[in-house]
Amino acid sequence: MSSPNGYNYKQNSYYDRKTFRMTPSMLRARRPYFWKNLAGLFIVGSIPVGIYAYTFNFLHQDDFADVPIPPISEEELTRLKKEYEASKN
Amino acid sequence: MLSRHIQQAPAGLASKRSFFGFFKAKPDANDKGDLTVPVPTEENRFYPWDLSPCADLRTRAASIRARAKCPVTSKPINYACPYSGIPTHHSREAWEKDTAYHATKKYETLRKVNVFEHDIRSGREFPEFDFPNEQDPDRRVNFINWDMFFYTRGFFSMDTEFQRATSTKMLSYPLTIGSVLNQYTPYALEPKGPVTLEGLKSLAALRYTLYPAKRQSTWKERPMRIFILGARAESQLPGPVWKQLTMLHPGVEFEIHFIGPEAYFDRAKNQYLYLNNSKTVERVDSTLSLQFHTEFFHVLHEATDFFPYDPYLDVFFCFHPGFGSPECKEMWAKSIPALLESKCAVFVSSYNDEDLATDYQHLTSTYEKDMDILFKPTENLYGATKWELNDMNPHETFQFNQQIFGFRGKRYHTVHKGDA
């Protein structure tokens, strides 16, 4: 059976019917391009990985020392500490 | 425990299906062939030719024994090499002494000859002969090698070397032509490839015809003619095989002319026929016709049957002509000047390196002043992958269209204007 564009999908299956893996013929055909394709994968893949790494690195440089902490009294602090110790035991 | 292990070990060693294929030693004669297995392997297609189930291979083995000479002792051949199953030497001693035979691993090539010949006669299914139809214009054909061509063109997935061998032997003829002429040819210009500057001029002219969409000027309409000189096997190929060539160039009309005394083979009578009328035409479809001429080329050339030649529309191919071989030299002596006179590109293929060297030497030494080299001798990427052997000398193995080169009659002469 031939499809309208002349490509015979039934006969020319370059993927194994059961395992859906590439046939030896297709692997042979693709062999001359294997290393270049792999290099291409690394170049193209390095763009999103680079962006992610840069963002991660940049956000970790943020200094929160200037963020004001709300004031709290001494009694309040000791009470809270006690509460915390009690809940722990 | 121990005794069980000992009992199992020989069974494991004898197992035919070796899991660790790389540990396997040289193939040996104990392999039992079986032609009824649908999936061919080297093991199940191997028989010594003397004991082959195919009568014609037994006859061939007998004819090798009768006609060929042992390379070591120069006596008649009387010993079949156990690795290849083909009679190669006079005796076992001669076979052992032939160090070159073992050092070059010639037996591996001969074994390939053996198994390929058995595979063709096995009667298995040949799905690789279901050729694809017209190429979708959106899909480019890649000519880098056979595998890529099959894949991009949409052929059957040829997974084993047996399928490649049977199909490339047929397709080698149209594809050798197609791969040289196509604009996406795998052969680059010098110094990266074999095509010389003169060659590029000739090929550019031919491509002007092959790609009508890119033409700049009005064009006189006549089919492109491909002349195949000294045609033998190629003239017996069925039309659909030649259609594979024209499908690479949609919209161009082709005439393929087979010329030579062995150009027309009558299957019913099982012999080559001499055609009394000038030619026989077999029209495949509206864009392709096959024409058979059973005269020598120089006879037709002198009778001006093909005039006028046009380097834009005509190209010559000679598949293994043997220009320089002692048997054929005389027959070509008149045809080569006629070829050079036509000023059209001529491409020549050869069986192997030595065959090519003989032809090339003969041409360059005899016609040096009258010809330009278009295509330096090189390995043909679209040669057949099936190995063959010469019955007169089983050590001479070859492949159809293995090598290729091209030449053309010189179109102009440089003129010396004195030494001043």
Side-chain angles (χ1 to χ4, degrees):
Chain A
M1 220 194 79
S2 220
S3 73
N5 64 7
Y7 193 78
N8 198 329
Y9 291 100
K10 192 177 161 230
Q11 284 170 6
N12 307 322
S13 174
Y14 277 80
Y15 292 91
D16 190 291
R17 215 74 67 72
K18 284 173 187 157
T19 60
F20 300 103
R21 293 169 77 170
M22 284 185 267
T23 60
S25 167
M26 193 178 180
L27 289 171
R28 277 202 312 272
R30 290 170 59 123
R31 197 183 298 147
Y33 301 99
F34 179 79
W35 289 110
K36 281 180 200 164
N37 279 352
L38 209 64
L41 175 76
F42 276 108
I43 292 165
V44 172
S46 66
I47 296 169
V49 169
I51 291 170
Y52 179 82
Y54 171 76
T55 313
F56 190 83
N57 192 35
F58 182 81
L59 292 182
H60 272 251
Q61 287 168 0
D62 240 354
D63 185 12
F64 296 100
D66 57 337
V67 177
I69 298 169
I72 189 163
S73 66
E74 280 299 313
E75 305 96 78
E76 188 73 3
L77 198 66
T78 46
R79 195 184 59 80
L80 283 173
K81 263 183 183 170
K82 256 182 201 161
E83 246 176 51
Y84 176 69
E85 291 295 320
S87 71
K88 223 171 149 189
N89 302 322
Chain B
M1 264 316 250
L2 191 68
S3 63
R4 236 184 77 215
H5 275 240
I6 290 166
Q7 275 168 6
Q8 275 180 353
L13 283 176
S15 159
K16 273 277 156 263
R17 186 161 170 260
S18 71
F19 197 74
F20 299 99
F22 40 86
F23 286 137
K24 215 179 147 191
K26 285 175 182 175
D28 61 83
N30 296 327
D31 289 337
K32 280 268 157 52
D34 184 2
L35 293 189
T36 55
V37 179
V39 180
T41 64
E42 265 200 28
E43 283 73 35
N44 67 35
R45 292 292 181 259
F46 179 82
Y47 286 96
W49 272 16
D50 297 304
L51 307 169
S52 167
C54 313
D56 51 343
L57 292 182
R58 288 199 301 273
T59 319
R60 257 185 101 178
S63 89
I64 291 173
R65 281 168 188 269
R67 291 150 75 196
K69 291 271 179 284
C70 171
V72 180
T73 57
S74 304
K75 287 176 192 165
I77 282 175
N78 202 21
Y79 178 73
C81 167
Y83 298 146
S84 64
I86 288 167
T88 49
H89 291 83
H90 174 62
S91 61
R92 189 173 171 88
E93 290 76 59
W95 175 74
E96 278 168 0
K97 261 191 253 170
D98 195 347
T99 46
Y101 177 78
H102 295 280
T104 56
K105 300 211 169 175
K106 192 95 210 172
Y107 52 84
E108 284 184 358
T109 315
L110 288 171
R111 195 178 157 91
K112 290 257 186 281
V113 177
N114 184 341
V115 293
F116 286 154
E117 290 294 341
H118 276 115
D119 183 51
I120 288 180
R121 291 164 177 79
S122 69
R124 68 171 167 92
E125 275 190 57
F126 288 99
E128 59 266 37
F129 290 138
D130 292 335
F131 292 157
N133 292 328
E134 302 283 339
Q135 183 77 358
D136 176 15
D138 287 343
R139 287 172 184 273
R140 276 280 167 267
V141 180
N142 188 334
F143 285 92
I144 191 170
N145 57 30
W146 271 121
D147 291 309
M148 205 62 201
F149 170 76
F150 285 144
Y151 174 55
T152 51
R153 184 75 183 84
F155 273 83
F156 179 80
S157 168
M158 307 209 188
D159 296 344
T160 65
E161 56 183 331
F162 296 91
Q163 291 172 326
R164 263 165 64 95
T166 46
S167 53
T168 56
K169 191 179 171 183
M170 271 190 160
L171 290 167
S172 172
Y173 296 100
L175 260 295
T176 300
I177 300 175
S179 65
V180 169
L181 300 186
N182 199 282
Q183 62 176 341
Y184 300 114
T185 175
Y187 304 106
L189 189 64
E190 276 191 318
K192 279 187 171 178
V195 181
T196 62
L197 198 59
E198 288 301 320
L200 192 64
K201 289 178 192 170
S202 267
L203 289 172
L206 291 165
R207 281 173 199 154
Y208 193 75
T209 310
L210 288 170
Y211 297 95
K214 294 183 179 172
R215 283 177 204 155
Q216 299 278 310
S217 61
T218 52
W219 193 248
K220 60 178 181 224
E221 288 298 329
R222 94 158 153 80
M224 175 159 189
R225 296 188 297 184
I226 296 172
F227 297 100
I228 296 176
L229 270 52
R232 277 168 302 193
E234 54 271 34
S235 64
Q236 296 173 42
L237 289 178
V241 176
W242 289 107
K243 267 309 281 178
Q244 289 300 317
L245 169 63
T246 63
M247 280 175 191
L248 298 172
H249 299 287
V252 183
E253 270 188 66
F254 287 91
E255 276 178 14
I256 300 179
H257 295 258
F258 299 99
I259 301 165
E262 292 171 319
Y264 194 75
F265 187 80
D266 192 318
R267 274 168 214 279
K269 291 179 184 164
N270 202 24
Q271 64 182 17
Y272 292 103
L273 289 190
Y274 176 77
L275 305 168
N276 284 322
N277 52 340
S278 63
K279 66 183 177 187
T280 297
V281 181
E282 196 183 306
R283 185 155 272 282
V284 180
D285 67 3
S286 59
T287 57
L288 175 65
S289 70
L290 309 178
Q291 307 197 0
F292 301 88
H293 311 261
T294 52
E295 288 283 2
F296 282 110
F297 175 67
H298 58 87
V299 178
L300 300 163
H301 177 78
E302 279 155 23
T304 66
D305 278 8
F306 298 130
F307 271 62
Y309 298 101
D310 186 337
Y312 279 78
L313 290 162
D314 299 324
V315 62
F316 291 87
F317 276 84
C318 309
F319 295 112
H320 344 99
F323 286 148
S325 73
E327 313 91 77
C328 308
K329 218 184 226 173
E330 287 301 307
M331 287 192 271
W332 286 107
K334 285 180 183 165
S335 288
I336 296 172
L339 273 178
L340 294 173
E341 212 177 289
S342 75
K343 310 291 183 200
C344 296
V346 186
F347 294 92
V348 184
S349 79
S350 316
Y351 291 122
N352 53 27
D353 301 1
E354 291 144 38
D355 186 31
L356 179 111
T358 335
D359 285 1
Y360 192 71
Q361 281 291 325
H362 176 69
L363 282 178
T364 44
S365 58
T366 321
Y367 305 99
E368 197 197 353
K369 285 182 184 159
D370 301 323
M371 65 180 234
D372 285 319
I373 294 297
L374 306 184
F375 204 89
K376 288 273 168 67
T378 183
E379 197 173 319
N380 182 8
L381 294 169
Y382 288 88
T385 57
K386 184 175 181 290
W387 280 99
E388 318 274 344
L389 67 80
N390 181 359
D391 281 5
M392 301 299 288
N393 173 14
H395 295 267
E396 193 185 317
T397 50
F398 61 88
Q399 289 167 315
F400 287 114
N401 301 329
Q402 198 193 58
Q403 311 281 331
I404 189 170
F405 71 95
F407 67 95
R408 185 193 60 201
K410 241 194 210 321
R411 293 182 59 79
Y412 50 82
H413 302 278
T414 46
V415 181
H416 250 297
K417 283 192 138 187
D419 292 320

